[in-house]
Amino acid sequence: EAEVAQSPRYKITEKSQAVAFWCDPISGHATLYWYRQILGQGPELLVQFQDESVVDDSQLPKDRFSAERLKGVDSTLKIQPAELGDSAMYLCASGPFDRVTGELFFGEGSRLTVL
Amino acid sequence: AQTVTQSQPEMSVQEAETVTLSCTYDTSESDYYLFWYKQPPSRQMILVIRQEAYKQQNATENRFSVNFQKAAKSFSLKISDSQLGDAAMYFCAYRGGNYGGSQGNLIFGKGTKLSVKP
């Protein structure tokens, strides 16, 4: 069964360092999302892609966060420099661009701890 | 803007019993999807059940069913014959029916932590 792949699963870094997360969506899925989930809360959207184009990055802290999906397939989310408040789970999700199910498929997430 | 509210931070149920998780939402759209996702500890989020707003019939998936009250903007999840494996965080989520632009995004509630007692 096809799955959304994310790496690394866990990342510990010191504040002011750079970190990067990678996501490989399910093959053929045009839409890709990065969410941030603080412990004990629901995920919140950081950025949404349609193919290689950014559809919504209104909640992305652009002074330190960047995201790209250059060929419309896999995606990278970068934080530079990391701050203590960035400690969270970063979830990637993908979905087909159709109305059949409306479902998004999630990866296992990348848990970031900033010391 | 659309919002999703889950008013029960934690719930507990005895194994084999039934439990209902509550969710309310706010939207001005007429076409949308509602979801319940399950997130076990340290595991990926998986879909439990889905409801299309234009369907009046409540969705059912095995032991999971929903009570969708469109006028009241309420979307509760009922788990029957609860099992130990049902223990997890449950998130109610909303997605607009127009996938163009930011309306394709999932909007989540804060979640309900379900414990199942043997």
Side-chain angles (χ1 to χ4, degrees):
Chain A
E1 182 175 322
E3 292 187 342
V4 177
Q6 288 189 247
S7 66
R9 286 291 309 279
Y10 303 93
K11 178 69 176 180
I12 300 174
T13 190
E14 294 185 346
K15 64 179 181 178
S16 78
Q17 295 299 304
V19 295
F21 305 112
W22 176 79
C23 172
D24 190 13
I26 292 173
S27 178
H29 281 186
T31 62
L32 185 148
Y33 305 77
W34 284 101
Y35 288 88
R36 178 167 59 185
Q37 184 179 22
I38 296 172
L39 188 63
Q41 297 187 20
E44 294 183 336
L45 180 72
L46 288 173
V47 60
Q48 175 186 345
F49 289 92
Q50 175 70 33
D51 298 312
E52 68 277 6
S53 300
V54 173
V55 174
D56 183 0
D57 63 356
S58 58
Q59 300 304 310
L60 188 72
K62 299 181 188 65
D63 57 335
R64 299 184 300 107
F65 285 65
S66 64
E68 61 183 14
R69 193 184 183 197
L70 292 176
K71 297 183 178 179
V73 181
D74 59 337
S75 176
T76 301
L77 177 69
K78 297 179 180 178
I79 308 174
Q80 183 173 16
E83 296 181 353
L84 296 177
D86 296 333
S87 294
M89 177 75 83
Y90 291 83
L91 298 172
C92 179
S94 70
F97 190 74
D98 61 40
R99 295 179 59 86
V100 176
T101 69
E103 177 183 359
L104 293 187
F105 298 81
F106 286 81
E108 292 187 310
S110 295
R111 181 168 294 283
L112 173 65
T113 301
V114 182
L115 303 176
Chain B
Q2 295 81 17
T3 59
V4 177
T5 302
Q6 293 180 249
S7 59
Q8 305 155 317
E10 297 188 24
M11 292 284 285
S12 181
V13 63
Q14 203 73 30
E15 195 175 7
E17 297 295 309
T18 295
V19 64
T20 298
L21 308 184
S22 301
C23 173
T24 58
Y25 61 96
D26 190 25
T27 183
S28 59
E29 297 177 319
S30 58
D31 184 17
Y32 52 88
Y33 290 92
L34 295 166
F35 305 86
W36 280 97
Y37 276 87
K38 171 185 178 182
Q39 188 178 39
S42 301
R43 299 289 303 278
Q44 70 195 108
M45 197 168 307
I46 57 174
L47 180 68
V48 174
I49 199 165
R50 170 184 54 246
Q51 176 78 44
E52 291 90 339
Y54 64 87
K55 291 186 176 180
Q56 293 185 349
Q57 186 173 5
N58 289 324
T60 300
E61 290 286 345
N62 300 314
R63 300 183 294 107
F64 300 87
S65 61
V66 298
N67 183 2
F68 174 48
Q69 301 291 328
K70 190 172 184 178
K73 296 180 182 176
S74 172
F75 183 61
S76 61
L77 174 70
K78 185 172 80 171
I79 306 174
S80 303
D81 185 25
S82 296
Q83 301 176 359
L84 295 178
D86 294 334
M89 283 291 289
Y90 285 82
F91 292 98
C92 179
Y94 170 100
R95 191 181 192 194
N98 176 9
Y99 292 171
S102 59
Q103 291 170 322
N105 172 33
L106 271 178
I107 299 170
F108 289 88
K110 291 185 180 295
T112 297
K113 183 178 181 180
L114 178 66
S115 301
V116 181
K117 298 179 180 178

